Amino acid sequence: MMTVAVILCKSPATGQLQFRRAIFNLLACNQDDHSKNWAFLQSDNGEWQPALFYDVTFSRNYFGEHAKSFTGFGKRPPLKALQKLADSAGFARWSIAEK
């Protein structure tokens, strides 16, 4: 999703925004983080931008898994998965994403 955001919106900052949203969902235990939370809007001139971040709240599901995985991990993603996500979001180093 991070790579798609960068390509679609033609902006590395958009990939980084999506990364921050994913980390928020992880830390806030918003496991109802399905595709509507990752939507995009197209302007009349054809430019894409991420949709507003909405419907984000504490939301545990029955199996304790996130609807959207963290590089394949839906439950308790390891640090290496988050680092891989940060890399695909366009962060030059993990230390930058970690902040």
Side-chain angles (χ1 to χ4, degrees):
M1 179 53 71
M2 310 303 155
T3 305
V4 170
V6 171
I7 293 169
L8 189 62
C9 297
K10 299 176 185 157
S11 168
T14 303
Q16 294 170 7
L17 170 68
Q18 298 295 62
F19 174 81
R20 289 192 300 276
R21 290 177 173 185
I23 296 301
F24 175 87
N25 282 334
L26 177 64
L27 298 177
C29 196
N30 177 28
Q31 295 176 342
D32 187 31
D33 52 349
H34 43 78
S35 58
K36 73 176 182 168
N37 298 121
W38 306 101
F40 294 90
L41 300 171
Q42 187 179 41
S43 67
D44 290 338
N45 65 358
E47 293 180 1
W48 290 93
Q49 64 182 8
L52 295 176
F53 197 44
Y54 61 94
D55 189 26
V56 287
T57 185
F58 176 84
S59 177
R60 271 206 176 291
N61 72 27
Y62 184 73
F63 299 105
E65 299 267 352
H66 284 265
K68 298 295 281 181
S69 72
F70 298 83
T71 65
F73 296 90
K75 186 188 288 187
R76 291 186 229 109
L79 179 60
K80 67 178 181 171
L82 302 180
Q83 291 170 329
K84 185 175 178 182
L85 251 168
D87 185 52
S88 69
F91 287 97
R93 294 181 310 281
W94 168 246
S95 60
I96 297 169
E98 192 175 27
K99 291 178 184 177

